[in-house]
Amino acid sequence: MPTPTKGARLGGSPSHERLMLANLATSLFEHGRITTTEAKAKRLRPLAERLITKSKKGDLHNRREVMKTVRDKDVVHKLFAEIGPFFADRNGGYTRVVKTMPRKGDNAQMAVIELVNEKTATAEAEAARGTKFAKDESAQQSTAGSVGDESVSDETAAGEAAPTTPEVGSESEDENKDQS
Amino acid sequence: MAVPKFKKSRSNTRKRRSQWKATAPTLVKCSNRACREQKPPHIACPSCGQHAGRQVVEPA
């Protein structure tokens, strides 16, 4: 039995749902942030992130795959020229959904879905130092997994005395700073 | 067709309606120290527009 799609069903038919999600994705990439119902935002998030992943690959095949969903060529160009390269150093989590006050007319749960426009803390640190973390370098250098390479890169990291906070932890620290 | 046999007394009507109550919404203080307004939890603050230390919506 196929696994059902996570989240609410939208519209009156599968084709209506596809159209609504495609239009939402187009608007999101066009404007960077859109206000919609929470159910729609939650359905849009995985779709939009898949499209961004395709745009990061950036070849003609992926562009055609994206064109299946986002039919506006200007938006697809923006996605491949600006949005995809911006997220080059972020592995997933390209969008953010924040709940807002319910809508006046029907009290529907509303949310703002936006493209994350900050760089990750690790990416900023790497840009400042001009180097990468030992674990990232070793992962890039040797997918073959030679033990000698890893030990060398570990030594270099120790020499630099680089802060090796994991991505998630450092992001939450940022949030704490902003609150003050 | 089913038809009511007895008149519903005012007492019964009022007893029924006495159970029909509104509940107070759950509210928390905004985590923005400059704001501290009451707001529903897990929602961007409607008065200052911040959520988790980030400006999310335009303040009302």
Side-chain angles (χ1 to χ4, degrees), chain A residues 80-147:
Chain A
F80 276 72
E82 294 169 27
I83 300 171
F86 179 79
F87 287 128
D89 45 17
R90 186 180 282 274
N91 304 318
Y94 310 119
T95 59
R96 176 190 293 139
V97 177
V98 180
K99 287 174 231 173
T100 55
M101 288 298 278
R103 186 158 60 191
K104 271 284 175 286
D106 58 357
N107 207 27
Q109 301 283 316
M110 299 298 282
V112 172
I113 179 165
E114 60 187 353
L115 299 173
V116 175
N117 53 11
E118 298 113 40
K119 288 285 184 186
T120 56
T122 45
E124 276 175 4
E126 274 165 12
R129 284 199 318 276
T131 56
K132 285 196 160 192
F133 285 138
K135 64 180 173 63
D136 295 338
E137 270 186 7
S138 61
Q140 268 195 344
Q141 281 172 1
S142 57
T143 43
S146 57
V147 185

Side-chain angles (χ1 to χ4, degrees), chain A residues 33 35 96 98-102 109 112 114 118 175 178-180, chain B residues 31-33 40 42-44 46 50-57:
Chain A
R33 113 198 315 247
T35 308
R96 176 190 293 139
V98 180
K99 287 174 231 173
T100 55
M101 288 298 278
Q109 301 283 316
V112 172
E114 60 187 353
E118 298 113 40
E175 283 169 11
D178 290 343
Q179 278 176 357
S180 57
Chain B
S31 63
N32 178 14
R33 278 188 205 136
H42 311 296
I43 274 184
Q50 285 195 13
H51 186 69
R54 202 176 277 118
Q55 194 70 32
V56 180
V57 287

Side-chain angles (χ1 to χ4, degrees), chain A residues 6-112:
Chain A
K6 220 176 183 180
R9 303 291 103 82
L10 309 174
S13 60
S15 53
H16 188 195
E17 179 173 288
R18 277 198 298 275
L19 278 170
M20 282 164 79
L21 287 172
N23 289 337
L24 281 168
T26 309
S27 303
L28 176 65
F29 295 138
E30 193 179 346
H31 300 286
R33 113 198 315 247
I34 54 174
T35 308
T36 179
T37 61
E38 197 187 332
K40 280 181 193 151
K42 281 184 172 174
R43 284 298 306 278
L44 174 60
R45 172 147 66 167
L47 176 72
E49 301 213 352
R50 261 199 297 277
L51 292 176
I52 292 174
T53 307
K54 286 199 172 82
S55 78
K56 281 169 80 173
K57 289 175 185 151
D59 55 1
L60 184 60
H61 168 67
N62 282 296
R63 190 177 287 263
R64 283 177 177 158
E65 287 289 314
V66 171
M67 283 296 289
K68 284 184 190 173
T69 308
V70 182
R71 288 174 201 81
D72 190 333
K73 275 192 180 168
D74 294 340
V75 175
V76 173
H77 176 76
K78 189 187 171 196
L79 180 64
F80 276 72
E82 294 169 27
I83 300 171
F86 179 79
F87 287 128
D89 45 17
R90 186 180 282 274
N91 304 318
Y94 310 119
T95 59
R96 176 190 293 139
V97 177
V98 180
K99 287 174 231 173
T100 55
M101 288 298 278
R103 186 158 60 191
K104 271 284 175 286
D106 58 357
N107 207 27
Q109 301 283 316
M110 299 298 282
V112 172

